[in-house]
Amino acid sequence: MPGQPLNARNNKDDSEGQQTKRMLWLIPNFGAVSAHTQLPPLSTHEKFSLAAQDSLVDYSSFTWTAVLAGQAMALNSDPELGQGMKGYGRYYWRTFADGVSGTFFTEAIVPTITHEDPRYYTLGTGGFFRRTGYAISRAFVTKADSGGTSFSWSEVGGNALEAGLSNAYYPPEERGLTQTAGNFGTQMESAILNHVFQEFWPDIRRKLFRRK
């Protein structure tokens, strides 16, 4: 897995902050790096491999899409897509397209151009508000391939590109500047929530499932 080579781990605290490939067996988590871990930058090939793992080749990509598509249909997010099995199918493939395109934009294409590291580096220590603030900030600040930090063009720019691309396959009623801006906001909100969940996932896993 690109984010977790065993020989790159710092053994400062090997019992806390350990990430897994999936969260709750359903949500892809290949881009999360365990706490107290320093890793070399990803090559272009590794960035594309990471995006594929997070959105295309692992079973969790399909199961998580099923959950999100069901939620969208239950909320009647796009009434034009309808209900029932046919409606669910329309929701499913569009949700899957959103996930694949968004992940490749944010984890592979844009990071390659801007030389950014698309992985989430778990803080793992500190109080709830400190860690939550850190997780939120990772949607706007990221690690650069050079080792420093930079504005997260990969997250912000990548989600903007995905929002624009969605105009190609959503019904006409769901297209246009206002809808694209709303889609971008939704994508950024999802990215922030995902980072918060990633940050606390090792704690949830350890406390609820009694696992290290």
Side-chain angles (χ1 to χ4, degrees):
M1 159 180 172
Q4 304 289 320
L6 295 177
N7 59 2
R9 291 182 181 172
N10 183 317
N11 291 324
K12 179 180 179 181
D13 187 345
D14 198 41
S15 66
E16 297 183 357
Q18 295 300 302
Q19 294 285 355
T20 58
K21 294 179 180 180
R22 305 166 196 86
M23 296 183 287
L24 296 174
W25 303 281
L26 294 174
I27 308 172
N29 194 39
F30 293 90
V33 179
S34 297
H36 317 302
T37 304
Q38 296 297 322
L39 298 172
L42 296 172
S43 66
T44 296
H45 175 75
E46 288 173 327
K47 289 175 182 178
F48 276 85
S49 294
L50 174 61
Q53 284 183 307
D54 259 338
S55 68
L56 194 58
V57 300
D58 188 71
Y59 79 86
S60 57
S61 302
F62 300 92
T63 55
W64 185 233
T65 296
V67 172
L68 294 178
Q71 178 189 50
M73 189 173 76
L75 295 174
N76 203 28
S77 300
D78 302 298
E80 301 82 10
L81 299 182
Q83 295 289 316
M85 290 304 297
K86 287 185 177 180
Y88 181 74
R90 297 185 189 106
Y91 273 105
Y92 186 93
W93 79 257
R94 286 173 172 84
T95 301
F96 189 74
D98 286 345
V100 172
S101 61
T103 302
F104 271 85
F105 278 134
T106 59
E107 294 187 2
I109 298 172
V110 176
T112 295
I113 296 172
T114 57
H115 303 289
E116 294 172 5
D117 190 333
R119 295 169 291 192
Y120 178 79
Y121 283 80
T122 307
L123 183 60
T125 56
F128 173 79
F129 291 107
R130 178 170 182 258
R131 293 175 65 187
T132 300
Y134 168 83
I136 293 171
S137 73
R138 295 308 95 180
F140 306 97
V141 179
T142 191
K143 185 177 180 181
D145 287 344
S146 62
T149 58
S150 69
F151 178 76
S152 184
W153 291 109
S154 56
E155 198 74 75
V156 177
N159 282 314
L161 289 170
E162 188 281 325
L165 180 62
S166 67
N167 283 291
Y169 52 84
Y170 273 87
E173 296 84 356
E174 302 299 328
R175 302 174 190 171
L177 184 60
T178 300
Q179 290 80 359
T180 301
N183 189 11
F184 169 70
T186 299
Q187 294 301 320
M188 289 302 299
E189 180 184 24
S190 296
I192 290 170
L193 292 174
N194 188 57
H195 288 331
V196 172
F197 194 18
Q198 286 177 311
E199 177 62 33
F200 291 101
W201 167 239
D203 304 79
I204 295 169
R205 180 172 177 264
R206 187 176 67 253
K207 291 178 180 179
L208 293 185
F209 302 106
R210 305 293 182 183
R211 294 178 180 177
K212 294 183 177 182

